[in-house]
Amino acid sequence: MTREEFDKNRRRFGDDIDAWPAPLREPARAFMARESDDALDRLVRQAALVEGDDGALARKVMARIDRRAPRPSLLPRFLVAPTGLAASAAALLITATIAGYQVARLQDQSQDSELLALAAGARLPDDGGPAIAGDAGEGDAL
């Protein structure tokens, strides 16, 4: 079967070779097998004849890979890792604890001074003004 006969029968009976009349099926299948082998041979010959620069192809592939590679982040990898996150959280907790103690100590100093003044016998005004020194000879009983 030639290409013209095959095309004529395909237009007449359709693309499904199994629907063609029985005497034409086998020659059509043989033609299709021969055509597919010829097409494959042509493709292989064309690929072998084409001059190509393997280095340029490799550079293009590497450029595409580099474009898809993640960019380095501003955070070091250590801080993003679970151990880095745990260490950072522990350092933050320790820093917050120390800062809390410092703030509490500063607030307690004024209270400690007032308590010491009261223990020494000084009277403290109700409005939070400066302490009034008590008279040492006056023996106020509590």
Side-chain angles (χ1 to χ4, degrees):
M1 181 174 280
T2 63
R3 168 58 85 185
E4 294 85 26
E5 290 172 349
F6 180 81
D7 288 339
K8 183 178 83 171
N9 288 331
R10 191 179 65 190
R11 281 191 300 270
R12 184 173 178 193
F13 300 114
D15 289 334
D16 186 15
I17 295 175
D18 293 330
W20 290 14
L24 297 176
R25 285 183 204 153
E26 283 307 313
R29 286 190 184 116
F31 175 78
M32 290 291 292
R34 199 172 55 244
E35 278 292 308
S36 65
D37 288 345
D38 290 344
L40 181 61
D41 289 342
R42 273 195 312 269
L43 285 174
V44 169
R45 276 187 252 120
Q46 286 176 354
L49 293 176
V50 172
E51 296 265 339
D53 185 12
D54 292 337
L57 179 62
R59 284 189 297 275
K60 285 180 185 178
V61 169
M62 292 307 290
R64 278 213 176 158
I65 290 172
D66 287 342
R67 274 187 268 163
R68 292 184 182 173
R71 301 283 180 223
S73 65
L74 297 176
L75 292 175
R77 289 188 124 169
F78 172 75
L79 294 178
V80 180
T83 54
L85 288 174
S88 299
L92 183 66
L93 183 63
I94 290 170
T95 304
T97 304
I98 291 172
Y101 278 121
Q102 293 296 325
V103 169
R105 192 182 74 174
L106 292 175
Q107 290 176 351
D108 286 346
Q109 284 180 353
S110 64
Q111 292 174 355
D112 289 345
S113 299
E114 290 175 1
L115 287 174
L116 285 173
L118 184 63
R123 292 182 179 256
L124 300 176
D126 292 334
D127 62 357
I132 303 169
D135 187 13
E138 183 180 320
D140 287 339
L142 291 176

